[in-house]
Amino acid sequence: MQTNPTHPTHTSLVAVGDSFTEGMSDLLPDGSYRGWADLLAARMAARSPGFRYANLAVRGKLIGQIVDEQIDVAAAMNPDVITLVGGLNDTLRPKCDMGRVKGLLTEAVERLAPACGQLVLMRSPGREGPVLERFRPRMEELFACVDELAVRHGAAVVDLYGAPSLADPRMWDVDRLHLTAEGHRRVAEAVWQTLGYTPEDTEWRTPVAATPPPGWVTRRAADARFAKQHLLPWIGRRLTGRSSGDGRPAKRPELLPYEGPAA
């Protein structure tokens, strides 16, 4: 990540990806999601009158779907900045062809890098726990590909995977798959700094203060709720070939002037 802040001027941003970029689980009172990309766009808009923003992300999308449905649209917009985060949903599937995933990610980067002033890639965060340990080898293989592509195509990389703060389970929603509002705020700060802006929070990587761990009964009750409300429905969608994003439009499909997300 860049460490020497400057005063860049970006007039447009297009975000590409899945639920992470859509903003789940940074829930607003009206039932919509905000998320790091909206927060980042609001900061950039405050510095650049007429700033335009599009968010093509849709929850549940695999890298092949992102390539098929979002890449050409984003490239055609020719923005100053494009963020691309994809492939992690693939790594969480029981069967995953990592060669295919890396090939599709490479295709996406090759098509997006020439179409914008700055392409931003990410090493996605991982929540501490057994799920991370099970899929860590695939994730790190994906992130090695991200690093190689960044060097080859002049993309910036935001290392969220290496940030201790974002591994903390308290930064993750009850579904254990998506960041809380505070987690999204820290991601926005990380991308903000990577783009060369003056830091607003130099401690975004620092873990939150320790708190007493919940008791055994509380943990088991949380595990039961998680299994019923999130894990079993997720397994059901996998078994039936469905996705949480089926039929959903892009979050913000047009590159339009942006003032900021709702409070």
Side-chain angles (χ1 to χ4, degrees), residues 208-226:
V208 296
T211 56
W216 186 89
V217 173
T218 300
R219 296 199 306 272
R220 296 295 78 78
D223 289 343
R225 287 194 299 271
F226 162 71

Side-chain angles (χ1 to χ4, degrees), residues 1 84 102 105-106 109 120-124 139-162:
M1 188 173 70
L84 166 63
K102 292 187 292 184
L105 181 63
T106 298
V109 170
V120 177
L121 308 176
M122 297 190 198
R123 294 161 56 90
S124 303
M139 293 171 62
E140 293 186 349
E141 185 177 352
L142 178 67
F143 299 155
C145 180
V146 166
D147 291 341
E148 293 169 5
L149 290 169
V151 172
R152 194 182 315 158
H153 296 279
V157 177
V158 186
D159 184 16
L160 306 174
Y161 180 69

Side-chain angles (χ1 to χ4, degrees), residues 7 12 20 49 59 62 85 96 112 117 137 145 167 178 184 186 194 196-197 200 217 220 223 229 231 236 241 245:
H7 299 283
S12 53
F20 175 70
R59 66 194 70 172
L62 303 173
V85 187
C96 174
L112 290 177
C145 180
H178 301 105
H184 279 283
R186 292 186 183 227
T194 297
Y197 291 97
E200 295 186 8
V217 173
R220 296 295 78 78
D223 289 343
Q229 298 175 11
L231 180 59

Side-chain angles (χ1 to χ4, degrees), residues 65-83:
Q65 295 170 310
I66 291 173
V67 169
D68 290 343
E69 301 167 13
Q70 301 180 31
I71 299 305
D72 284 345
V73 178
M77 293 177 176
N78 293 121
D80 288 346
V81 178
I82 295 178
T83 63

Side-chain angles (χ1 to χ4, degrees), residues 19-31:
S19 59
F20 175 70
T21 301
E22 184 184 343
M24 296 175 72
S25 289
D26 185 5
L27 190 64
L28 293 171
D30 65 0

Side-chain angles (χ1 to χ4, degrees), residues 98-142:
M98 286 302 298
R100 179 175 181 274
V101 171
K102 292 187 292 184
L104 287 165
L105 181 63
T106 298
E107 179 183 346
V109 170
E110 289 176 344
R111 288 157 62 179
L112 290 177
C116 63
Q118 178 64 66
L119 178 62
V120 177
L121 308 176
M122 297 190 198
R123 294 161 56 90
S124 303
R127 180 186 184 275
E128 289 180 354
V131 173
L132 174 61
E133 294 311 312
R134 177 180 178 185
F135 295 103
R136 188 187 295 276
R138 289 181 182 175
M139 293 171 62
E140 293 186 349
E141 185 177 352
L142 178 67

